């Protein structure tokens, strides 16, 4: 329905300057009444991309945000520069001084209000996520829901994050552990989760007592602005200082944030290549970092797997978000006895999916576009490389001829399990399929790539399942049994090993990454005994 409206939408023209300064005609979806949800989110034709306690146009480049399913301009964002970031950081440091003194349950109350406000904007913000990133509407709304859920989680946490008490070897002494906030937490996020990644970080960082400075991906700048507006409105209504600031910008702003000593923890989500530079810089200046980087996730189908479930899991895992999740299934390792039948059934499911290709805002769409032209090129390059290495394209491999950045979901067989193209993360809907002789071989192949984010084993055998999750099993941060490696719930700690960066976000004890641990010995005696019984007189 909305897709029909999209195609029929009247064109609204206005004059803008492009990157070279030439005045050109542009069409803006934000001016079209059929995209009224953009105005509901407070978005205009040109939006300020900087919030340091008040909204302003950044002095950086004006970025045109594109709908990847049609190539049309949604609206513009005036992004920030390093100077704009400097103001955001200064405001964040000052806000932190006040925020850290407030009781944690009070901080939780503010995060509760943020969650409630997000609930009100779930649909329009979810639509914007779908429109600007290119994921289908249920996934766009689901992303906002993740932010709501982590707020609920953080509210509870604000009354629960506790320290330990340990026995002391000295009489009438007690050893305590107390978790204190760090200061300003920097968040740099990737285009594929433009709302939730900020949410996972901000909700937890705030209840622990930190201030947050955010830079989202340049190509999803509207989501950053709309999300930050919802959050900062709540903060302003409570007469609080800017404990959340935004400096939407490009790599120069990101680099500056990473190198600034005021940022005590740098939470970076993005590619391994950029994450490596972030990690090195944070190590150089002894800052903390939380890295959530690329994945190369495998799904193992053991000979005793529940087959229908495995097929459903592979279908969603490989194709969901058009292959643009960090947890997307990129390798299927199938027991040799099941291989031919499984690949044939999966190929059939792929063929049926082509009926469900469409605009992400259309109700019937299951499969949307890639995010931009560069992603299409990366996809084509990977297919070409795979074929040159002897790979057989079982299905897909080409661009889908329609407006926007659509490519066919693709299955490639016949490659060595350790081919260079297989060991690399191509952020596109390509899955490589392999025939394994037994579980030991399958696990060895699962583990042989550099990345270590997510994995799954399908088996009905308890011994195989426990091998998969144990010391001889998957070396990933996420190790699933009989469910897809793609996607995760907020209750557990999210993140991966090796070149995925080692960070953990969301649930379990991930909150500890946002806090500094103070070990405290309290002497409640009238003597002053030294540790280890040392006499010093
Ligand atoms: N592990 C996870 O939780 C997770 C989640 C989502 C995405 N990802 C990964 O992110 C990648 C896709 O996202 P992307 O293309 O936006 O990644 P990217 O690395 O190109 O960009 C990520 C962010 O870093 C910024 N940036 C670029 N250069 C920088 C620099 N030198 N210093 C500081 N910041 C800089 C970008 O502007 C953007 O905001 C994939 O590899 C995917 O697997 C990982």
């Amino acid at each position: 329905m909305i897709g029909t409206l999209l195609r029929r939408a009247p064109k609204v023209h206005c004059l803008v300057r492009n990157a070279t300064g030439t005045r050109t005609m542009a069409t803006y979806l934000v001016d079209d009444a059929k995209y009224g949800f953009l105005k509901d989110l407070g978005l205009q034709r040109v939006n300020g991309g900087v919030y340091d306690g008040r909204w302003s146009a950044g002095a950086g480049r004006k970025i045109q945000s594109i709908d990847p399913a049609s190539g049309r301009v949604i609206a513009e964002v005036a992004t920030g520069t390093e100077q704009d970031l400097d103001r955001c950081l200064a405001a964040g440091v000052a806000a932190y001084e006040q925020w850290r003194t407030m009781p944690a349950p009070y901080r939780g109350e503010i995060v509760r209000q943020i969650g409630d406000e997000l609930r009100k904007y779930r649909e329009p913000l979810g639509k914007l996520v779908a429109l600007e990133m290119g994921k289908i509407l249920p996934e766009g709304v689901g992303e906002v829901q993740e932010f709501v859920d982590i707020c609920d989680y953080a509210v509870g946490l604000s009354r629960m994050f506790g320290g330990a008490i340990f026995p002391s070897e000295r009489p009438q002494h007690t050893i305590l552990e107390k978790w204190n906030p760090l200061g300003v937490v920097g968040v740099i996020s990737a285009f594929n989760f433009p709302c939730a990644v900020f949410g996972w970080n901000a909700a937890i960082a705030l209840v622990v007592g930190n201030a947050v400075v955010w830079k989202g991906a340049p190509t999803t700048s509207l989501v950053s602005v709309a999300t930050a507006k919802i959050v900062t409105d709540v903060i302003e209504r409570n007469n609080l200082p800017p404990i959340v600031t935004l400096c939407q910008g490009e790599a120069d702003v990101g680099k500056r944030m990473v190198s600034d000593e005021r940022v005590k923890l740098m939470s970076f989500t993005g590619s391994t290549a950029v994450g490596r530079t972030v990690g090195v810089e944070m190590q150089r200046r002894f800052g903390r970092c939380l890295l959530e980087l690329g994945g190369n996730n495998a799904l193992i189908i053991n000979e005793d797997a529940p087959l229908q479930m495995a097929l459903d899991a592979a279908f969603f895992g490989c194709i969901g978000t058009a292959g643009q999740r960090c947890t997307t299934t990129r390798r299927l390792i199938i027991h040799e006895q099941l291989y031919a039948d499984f690949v044939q059934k999966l190929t059939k499911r792929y063929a049926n999916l082509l009926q469900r290709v469409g605009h992400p805002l259309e109700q019937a769409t299951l499969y949307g576009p890639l995010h931009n032209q560069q992603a299409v090129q990366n996809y084509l390059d990977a297919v070409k490389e795979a074929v040159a290495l002897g790979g057989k394209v079982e299905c897909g491999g080409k661009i889908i001829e329609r407006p926007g950045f659509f490519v066919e979901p693709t299955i490639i067989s016949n490659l060595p399990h350790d081919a260079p193209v297989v060991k690399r993360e191509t952020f596109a809907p390509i899955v490589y399929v392999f025939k394994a002789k037994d579980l030991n071989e399958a696990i060895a192949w699962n583990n042989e790539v550099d990345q270590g984010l997510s994995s799954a084993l399908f088996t009905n055998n308890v011994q195989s399942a426990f091998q998969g999750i144990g010391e001889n099993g998957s070396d990933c941060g996420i190790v699933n049994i009989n469910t897809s490696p793609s996607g995760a719930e907020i209750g557990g700690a999210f993140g991966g090993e090796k070149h995925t960066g080692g960070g953990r976000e969301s649930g379990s004890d991930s909150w500890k990454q946002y806090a500094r641990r103070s070990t405290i010995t309290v002497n409640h005696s009238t003597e002053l005994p030294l540790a280890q019984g040392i006499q010093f007189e």
Side-chain angles (χ1 to χ4, degrees):
M1 165 76 175
I2 295 174
T4 317
L5 299 179
L6 253 172
R7 285 192 291 276
R8 290 189 195 146
K11 294 198 168 180
V12 180
H13 296 290
C14 68
L15 283 172
V16 290
R17 284 187 194 280
N18 63 20
T20 59
T22 321
R23 285 164 80 82
T24 56
M25 298 296 282
T27 307
Y28 290 85
L29 298 185
V30 73
D31 290 321
D32 186 334
K34 298 188 176 103
Y35 296 88
F37 64 88
L38 297 172
K39 289 266 159 70
D40 294 344
L41 292 166
L43 296 173
Q44 311 294 325
R45 189 178 298 175
V46 181
N47 302 277
V50 177
Y51 179 84
D52 61 0
R54 68 177 193 88
W55 283 97
S56 63
R61 197 162 71 86
K62 235 182 241 168
I63 290 181
Q64 287 188 334
S65 183
I66 306 292
D67 165 13
S70 69
R72 295 172 66 185
V73 180
I74 307 168
E76 293 183 13
V77 174
T79 59
T81 58
E82 294 179 44
Q83 289 71 35
D84 293 314
L85 176 68
D86 191 54
R87 288 200 322 278
C88 292
L89 286 169
V93 170
Y96 164 68
E97 307 277 326
Q98 186 180 335
W99 180 243
R100 67 177 169 183
T101 64
M102 294 176 172
Y106 173 78
R107 300 193 294 250
E109 162 58 18
I110 301 302
V111 171
R112 185 192 66 73
Q113 291 180 32
I114 292 171
D116 279 355
E117 197 71 2
L118 284 159
R119 278 185 174 89
K120 288 188 210 152
Y121 288 97
R122 211 175 78 112
E123 294 299 317
L125 189 56
K127 281 182 180 167
L128 174 61
V129 170
L131 180 67
E132 192 180 37
M133 185 274 154
K135 59 180 68 177
I136 60 172
L137 185 54
E139 291 188 51
V141 173
E143 222 192 296
V144 183
Q145 183 61 43
E146 272 189 47
F147 196 165
V148 170
D149 292 342
I150 197 78
C151 285
D152 288 351
Y153 180 93
V155 176
L157 185 66
S158 72
R159 289 183 182 266
M160 290 166 66
F161 68 91
I165 303 181
F166 300 105
S168 168
E169 65 192 34
R170 288 170 278 181
Q172 305 296 307
H173 283 57
T174 304
I175 301 173
L176 310 173
E177 206 170 64
K178 185 175 186 315
W179 295 86
N180 289 307
L182 293 168
V184 170
V185 171
V187 178
I188 296 179
S189 52
F191 77 86
N192 66 324
F193 275 90
C195 174
V197 166
F198 165 67
W200 299 338
N201 281 284
I204 305 288
L206 287 174
V207 294
V208 174
N210 303 289
V212 177
V213 180
W214 181 25
K215 187 201 90 64
T219 52
T220 48
S221 287
L222 292 172
V223 173
S224 297
V225 170
T227 306
K229 271 192 205 301
I230 292 168
V231 171
T232 57
D233 279 358
V234 172
I235 293 165
E236 283 184 16
R237 274 208 300 273
N238 283 277
N239 296 316
L240 288 165
I243 47 178
V244 171
T245 57
L246 173 73
C247 187
Q248 204 40 37
E250 298 179 273
D252 56 333
V253 173
K255 260 191 207 159
R256 172 65 205 279
M257 193 188 288
V258 174
S259 64
D260 197 301
E261 296 272 351
R262 288 170 291 185
V263 176
K264 303 300 179 200
L265 166 70
M266 188 63 249
S267 175
F268 176 85
T269 300
S271 59
T272 294
V274 177
R276 189 190 298 275
T277 70
V278 173
V280 168
E281 174 59 14
M282 294 310 289
Q283 183 64 41
R284 187 198 64 76
R285 68 175 180 88
F286 296 113
R288 282 204 199 179
C289 70
L290 194 173
L291 298 175
E292 299 281 355
L293 313 178
N296 192 352
N297 319 294
L299 192 163
I300 298 174
I301 295 138
N302 205 31
E303 62 183 317
D304 46 25
L307 274 176
Q308 189 55 45
M309 279 166 63
L311 195 62
D312 291 345
F315 186 60
F316 172 71
C318 304
I319 288 180
T321 332
Q324 298 165 104
R325 281 178 182 240
C326 49
T327 54
T328 289
T329 307
R330 310 211 178 272
R331 298 175 295 144
L332 285 175
I333 304 171
I334 309 163
H335 191 273
E336 57 190 7
Q337 284 171 11
L338 307 175
Y339 178 89
D341 183 51
F342 195 89
V343 172
Q344 191 228 331
K345 285 189 171 129
L346 190 64
T347 308
K348 205 164 157 210
R349 294 279 291 271
Y350 269 53
N352 294 339
L353 180 83
L354 294 175
Q355 317 301 317
R356 308 286 297 277
V357 176
H359 194 283
L361 292 179
E362 276 176 35
Q363 211 71 47
T365 300
L366 267 193
Y367 182 80
L370 289 183
H371 186 57
N372 55 26
Q373 187 54 44
Q374 183 58 54
V376 174
Q377 195 53 52
N378 295 345
Y379 163 88
L380 292 173
D381 290 348
V383 172
K384 196 169 156 197
E385 184 180 340
V387 170
L389 288 168
K392 177 179 170 216
V393 178
E394 297 283 345
C395 66
K398 298 189 295 299
I399 286 174
I400 299 175
E401 291 303 337
R402 53 178 288 152
F405 308 117
F406 288 84
V407 299
E408 292 174 344
T410 301
I411 302 175
I412 296 180
S413 63
N414 217 32
L415 282 172
H417 56 87
D418 56 355
V421 71
V422 172
K423 294 182 83 176
R424 215 173 54 226
E425 179 197 49
T426 299
F427 217 54
I430 302 172
V431 67
Y432 305 105
V433 290
F434 304 100
K435 205 186 287 184
K437 66 175 189 300
D438 58 25
L439 186 56
N440 288 337
E441 182 170 77
I443 291 174
W445 293 354
N446 177 85
N447 293 350
E448 76 182 344
V449 296
D450 288 336
Q451 307 84 349
L453 180 52
S454 189
S455 59
L457 165 61
F458 276 72
T459 179
N460 275 334
N461 179 313
V462 74
Q463 287 159 354
S464 301
F466 274 81
Q467 181 180 348
I469 64 172
E471 64 282 0
N472 294 329
S474 163
D475 63 1
C476 293
I478 297 169
V479 183
N480 291 341
I481 300 293
N482 293 344
T483 189
S484 169
S486 180
E489 295 183 28
I490 59 144
F494 181 88
E497 301 295 328
K498 305 190 293 185
H499 290 208
T500 302
R504 290 296 186 276
E505 280 174 350
S506 281
S508 183
D509 64 353
S510 305
W511 62 268
K512 290 181 177 171
Q513 304 220 21
Y514 303 85
R516 66 184 161 83
R517 183 199 316 241
S518 304
T519 302
I520 303 147
T521 304
V522 179
N523 176 0
H524 38 98
S525 74
T526 54
E527 309 289 324
L528 196 69
L530 299 177
Q532 295 93 45
I534 293 171
Q535 299 294 322
F536 201 74
E537 43 188 325

